[in-house]
């Protein structure tokens, strides 16, 4: 009988002790607004401090892989940060549950547990990157898949298409859409001398996920395709304008030169006189004539050059 009484008292005392320990652990309020932020297969658990509580708190956060029925594993502990990055611990096809609690000097709050999270299904796909190249009236749209943090995009979402929306700058309400594009490069023939803006989404066949929209990117077209008669008309106009200008330029130069140079240099008669004056004078040629005594009159005449 005594043993029975002692057993009952022991059980009651043990229950009171356990109840007291639980009360101590539950003294701290739990973190609030616990949420998962996952973009491009990265995953961060975030939370807010306990409501109506001030003091130096630290936090402990854990995860477990539900697919293999594992126990919780701690990733962040004794931290004052209001978030914990689990990305490097996760598998791209994993199914996980996360939990976090507040701690202070040996006291701890209740755990706050998240709902089950499927990585490849629940993660948010970030925007694709878009590059525009203008060539005449054409614009080439180049699209790159979102960059995932723990895998290649094609390894998880091997069937994906693009939805392209474009519009003339300032006329977004009249935007045109192209859905289900499978190519990463698309060339659009548009109006010349016009500025166009583009925005692109990725749509996956797996889970029918749609990514965040890309940044709005704008580019201008230039001239369209030139027609032969247009080129001929341009050449004719250029020649019609340039030839008279060339003739006028030569005439103007002639008038300037004619005004600056001395007039006699341009007069033919003056030019011939100057040429004569500047030419060397001819040398005089003469022969000595000797009169021999006894010469005849005929000989003298010959020597004088007379007949």
């Amino acid at each position: 009988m005594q043993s029975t009484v002692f057993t009952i008292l022991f059980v009651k005392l043990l229950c009171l002790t356990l109840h007291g320990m639980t009360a101590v652990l539950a003294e701290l309020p739990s973190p609030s607004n616990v949420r998962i932020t996952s973009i491009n297969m990265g995953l961060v658990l975030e939370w807010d401090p306990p409501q109506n509580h001030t003091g130096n708190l630290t936090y402990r956060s854990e995860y477990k892989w539900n697919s293999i029925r594992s126990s919780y594993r701690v990733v962040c502990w004794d931290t004052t940060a209001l978030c914990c990055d689990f990305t490097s611990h996760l598998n791209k096809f994993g199914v996980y549950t996360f939990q976090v609690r507040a701690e202070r000097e040996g006291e701890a709050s209740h755990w706050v547990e998240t709902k089950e999270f499927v990585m490849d299904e629940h993660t948010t796909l970030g925007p694709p990157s878009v590059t525009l190249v203008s060539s005449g009236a054409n614009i080439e749209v180049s699209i790159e898949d979102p960059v995932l943090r723990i895998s290649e995009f094609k390894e998880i979402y091997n069937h994906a298409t693009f939805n392209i929306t474009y519009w003339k700058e300032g006329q977004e309400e009249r935007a045109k859409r192209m859905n289900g594009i499978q190519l990463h490069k698309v060339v659009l023939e548009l109006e010349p001398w016009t500025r166009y803006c583009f925005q692109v989404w990725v749509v996956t066949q797996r889970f029918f996920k749609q990514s965040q929209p890309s940044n709005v990117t704008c580019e201008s077209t230039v001239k369209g395709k030139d027609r032969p008669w247009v080129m001929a008309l341009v050449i004719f106009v250029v020649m019609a304008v340039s030839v008279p200008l060339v003739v006028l330029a030569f005439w103007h130069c002639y008038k300037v030169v004619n005004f600056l140079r001395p007039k006699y240099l341009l007069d033919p008669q003056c030019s011939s006189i100057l040429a004569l004056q500047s030419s060397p004078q001819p040398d005089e040629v003469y022969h000595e004539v000797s009169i021999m005594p006894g010469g005849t009159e005929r000989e003298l005449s010959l020597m004088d050059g007379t007949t």
Side-chain angles (χ1 to χ4, degrees):
M1 183 70 180
Q2 272 185 331
S3 60
T4 304
V5 172
F6 279 117
T7 302
I8 293 173
L9 290 174
F10 177 78
V11 170
K12 288 184 176 181
L13 180 62
L14 180 62
C15 290
L16 289 173
T17 303
L18 292 176
H19 178 74
M21 292 178 62
T22 304
V24 170
L25 290 175
E27 282 183 2
L28 289 179
S30 300
S32 60
N33 192 26
V34 178
R35 58 201 180 274
I36 295 173
T37 301
S38 177
I39 299 177
N40 288 341
M41 302 298 287
L43 190 144
V44 177
L45 184 67
E46 298 178 287
W47 57 87
D48 295 334
Q51 295 180 355
N52 301 323
H53 184 83
T54 59
N56 296 326
L57 296 178
T58 60
Y59 301 94
R60 181 184 182 93
S61 52
E62 303 173 344
Y63 79 102
K64 66 177 179 179
W65 192 344
N66 299 343
S67 303
I68 58 176
R69 297 181 179 180
S70 64
S71 59
Y72 274 103
R73 298 180 182 179
V74 62
V75 174
C76 299
W77 67 93
D78 197 26
T79 177
T80 58
L82 298 176
C83 63
C84 181
D85 191 343
F86 288 85
T87 303
S88 60
H89 302 270
L90 307 180
N91 183 277
K92 56 191 175 186
F93 298 119
V95 180
Y96 300 97
T97 302
F98 305 87
Q99 64 180 16
V100 61
R101 76 180 183 186
E103 297 177 343
R104 184 185 62 188
E105 298 177 356
E107 298 178 337
S109 71
H110 290 299
W111 287 103
V112 179
E113 193 176 63
T114 68
K115 294 181 180 180
E116 192 174 76
F117 189 89
V118 182
M119 287 294 292
D120 55 340
E121 180 181 2
H122 295 155
T123 191
T124 299
L125 294 179
S129 59
V130 178
T131 304
L132 304 179
V133 177
S134 176
S135 177
N138 297 335
I139 291 182
E140 180 185 83
V141 184
S142 299
I143 309 169
E144 294 184 8
D145 297 323
V147 179
L148 305 185
R149 293 187 60 184
I150 61 174
S151 178
E152 295 294 329
F153 184 85
K154 291 298 183 183
E155 293 179 2
I156 304 175
Y157 310 105
N158 54 351
H159 296 289
T161 57
F162 304 106
N163 292 345
I164 302 175
T165 301
Y166 66 97
W167 61 91
K168 294 180 181 179
E169 190 174 44
Q171 301 181 20
E172 189 171 357
E173 69 281 357
R174 301 176 63 182
K176 297 182 180 180
R177 293 173 175 80
M178 301 171 57
N179 297 332
I181 304 299
Q182 298 182 356
L183 301 176
H184 284 75
K185 288 189 177 182
V186 180
V187 178
L188 301 179
E189 186 174 353
L190 305 170
E191 295 181 15
W193 308 109
T194 306
R195 187 168 180 81
Y196 288 89
C197 297
F198 291 78
Q199 196 167 36
V200 180
W201 290 260
V202 179
V203 180
T204 66
Q205 184 176 340
R206 183 181 177 86
F207 302 120
F208 299 100
K209 296 173 67 66
Q210 180 170 292
S211 74
Q212 296 174 338
S214 69
N215 293 330
V216 176
T217 309
C218 302
E219 184 59 83
S220 298
T221 58
V222 196
K223 62 181 180 179
K225 295 182 179 179
D226 294 326
R227 299 177 182 177
W229 67 268
V230 175
M231 291 298 297
L233 179 61
V234 171
I235 294 174
F236 174 78
V237 171
V238 171
M239 293 296 294
V241 173
S242 60
V243 170
L245 289 177
V246 171
V247 173
L248 183 61
F250 274 108
W251 174 252
H252 180 71
C253 291
Y254 172 78
K255 296 292 290 183
V256 171
V257 172
N258 188 34
F259 175 78
L260 294 178
R261 294 181 61 183
K263 185 175 181 181
Y264 67 82
L265 293 180
L266 300 177
D267 191 336
Q269 294 182 357
C270 294
S271 299
S272 59
I273 294 174
L274 290 175
L276 290 176
Q277 290 180 351
S278 59
S279 61
Q281 297 296 322
D283 296 334
E284 294 184 1
V285 180
Y286 62 94
H287 301 278
E288 294 183 358
V289 178
S290 300
I291 301 176
M292 301 299 295
T296 62
E297 184 179 351
R298 176 64 178 174
E299 289 175 347
L300 291 174
S301 298
L302 290 173
M303 292 181 65
D304 291 337
T306 59
T307 54

